[in-house]
Amino acid sequence: MAKKIHTGSITNAFKYSLVASAIIGMTSTSLCAQELQDSEESDEESLEIIEVKGTRGALINAQNMRREGDTLLDALSASDIGALPDRSILEAISRVPGVTIGRFAAPNDPDHFGTEGSGLVVRGLTQVRSEFNGRDTFTANSGRSLSFEDIPPELIGSVEVFKNQTADMIEGGIAGTVNLITKKPFDNGGGRKVSVSADVTYGDFIGETTPSFFGLYSDTIDTKNGQFGWLFNVSQSQLKAQSDGVQVGILDPHEEFDNQLVPRSMRLTRKKDDREREGYAGVLQFESNDGKLNATAEFIRSESSLAWTESAVEWGDDDFNRSTKPAQGTQYEFGDDGVFQKGFITTDAGWRGADNVRQPGGQYGGLHPLVSRARLDDSQVQDVNLNVGYTPNDSWAFNLDFQQVTAETQIQDFQVQGATYLVSGIDLTDGSIPSIELRNPNFANGTESPSENYFTDPQFSFHRAAMDHVSDNDGEQNSYRFDVKHTFSEGLITSITSGVRYAK
């Protein structure tokens, strides 16, 4: 049986619904457009842009510096420096591949640790040039290099490490050249920038808390003649630290120990550092509206002070086979390879000791110097410079530069050496940190100390030497530079740059 389906009324209803939907859609579109326009007008008045810059942006910035460089170089941006847990610009630079720093106070002084490192080595060589914004700079320390540990990292916008020379670079960077680029008002598009930060550092070894402060203000304005910008930057920080050292000297064959390997020296030391660092920078910049003329005037000043004290007990043997002896009545342990492991040693000579180690009363023991030392290093570096660039057209560019660097360094170093008779117990069985034990001279004889307070009684020690070292260094350099660049519109050679520089 067939079933009839009525479609007429449904068709009419469908047509009516389609027309109604069209009218509703047009009305809705009109309302949405009006609401969108009102929303845009409202957004123009109240919209705020929040820009978040992270590690990825810093890496891209540093990567672009490497890509645009004329030679092989590595770079760090200000974001990289601020993101790293480093207290000095020197420690931040050490993270660049191929760059290492010393961890002692000086390359030839392994007896004193450097709290923030010292010295800079590029690919194993120490002949490293230092620059501020592509200009020569130095610390007045009997050399032509800059003590990077004296420079506040907050003043630096980026760091370039050149591992190869180009024709326009100042000569002298055999190992490489490190260029510290300071912050400028026109960086990142200009505008107003205000930055303030403060932190404290607690040294658990020394038990001291020290503060650090940094402030920056930068702004730019547009005038009918061009854009002006200025920047002021100040940084102040203090750091106190303590370093304790246990040192055992090189092991050499010794006749009285059956030519087995025995330490030549021993040292116990405690060093306390008090470092203060201040930095100031002021920059003025101008750029004409057509971009043809630009000028930058800059003032940079860095002041650093490092005061440290040291207390040490040591012995060293100049005539190893003659004067170093096993302490009587004690046992020794050597490894299967003939290396000294554990035992008590005494020594009777060397310029640090005495030819006769027998004390009044018959006690025996090596003469151990007791060192007390205090040193103060003050360093100041000041840089005043002016740069003017003029680009009249797309083919020619002219650049004029003037710089004056003044540097001062004062050192006061005083040391008093006492001495007392001791027996040294050395234990190397741990395999990492040596263990040193100091005993009175009668220890080897199985008796107690000749005095209940042998180590503090002044009658068992004496003064034997004193040293003072005072230096006052000043340095000054004036330099002038003029460069010309011609750019070709086509051809294999894109541009030629030439210039002259005079420095005294």
Side-chain angles (χ1 to χ4, degrees), residues 172-184:
I174 298 175
T177 300
V178 177
N179 183 26
L180 305 180
I181 303 175
T182 55
K183 299 175 181 179
K184 307 292 192 302

Side-chain angles (χ1 to χ4, degrees), residues 195-242:
S195 177
V196 178
S197 66
D199 65 75
V200 294
T201 301
Y202 175 74
D204 55 354
F205 237 31
I206 197 172
E208 296 274 358
T209 301
T210 52
S212 297
F213 169 79
F214 162 72
L216 179 145
Y217 178 82
S218 177
D219 202 355
T220 58
I221 58 172
D222 294 322
T223 67
K224 63 179 181 179
N225 296 319
Q227 186 180 38
F228 288 88
W230 59 89
L231 180 146
F232 302 100
N233 196 348
V234 60
S235 170
Q236 293 182 331
S237 66
Q238 184 180 12
L239 180 66
K240 293 184 178 182
Q242 175 180 310

Side-chain angles (χ1 to χ4, degrees), residues 358-482:
R358 182 184 293 272
Q359 283 186 285
Q363 293 83 27
Y364 288 84
L367 188 66
H368 287 57
L370 310 174
V371 180
S372 295
R373 186 175 178 182
R375 181 182 173 107
L376 174 62
D377 290 57
D378 286 319
S379 176
Q380 302 89 33
V381 178
Q382 181 172 294
D383 188 317
V384 179
N385 58 77
L386 173 65
N387 180 272
V388 179
Y390 179 60
T391 309
N393 49 52
D394 295 337
S395 299
W396 291 96
F398 305 91
N399 189 274
L400 179 64
D401 192 270
F402 163 75
Q403 180 202 25
Q404 182 186 64
V405 180
T406 57
E408 299 178 3
T409 299
Q410 293 86 32
I411 300 175
Q412 302 178 47
D413 192 349
F414 300 96
Q415 177 176 313
V416 176
Q417 286 190 354
T420 188
Y421 290 94
L422 299 175
V423 174
S424 302
I426 302 177
D427 188 349
L428 305 179
T429 56
D430 181 74
S432 56
I433 301 177
S435 176
I436 305 296
E437 183 180 1
L438 300 178
R439 305 302 295 261
N440 67 76
N442 278 340
F443 168 75
N445 298 331
T447 62
E448 294 298 327
S449 169
S451 173
E452 293 296 334
N453 55 344
Y454 179 85
F455 291 96
T456 58
D457 194 331
Q459 68 173 316
F460 298 112
S461 61
F462 56 91
H463 291 101
R464 57 186 295 272
M467 179 199 76
D468 64 310
H469 169 77
V470 179
S471 65
D472 189 356
N473 300 332
D474 298 311
E476 180 177 345
Q477 175 178 285
N478 295 318
S479 60
Y480 309 85
R481 181 169 179 168
F482 179 71

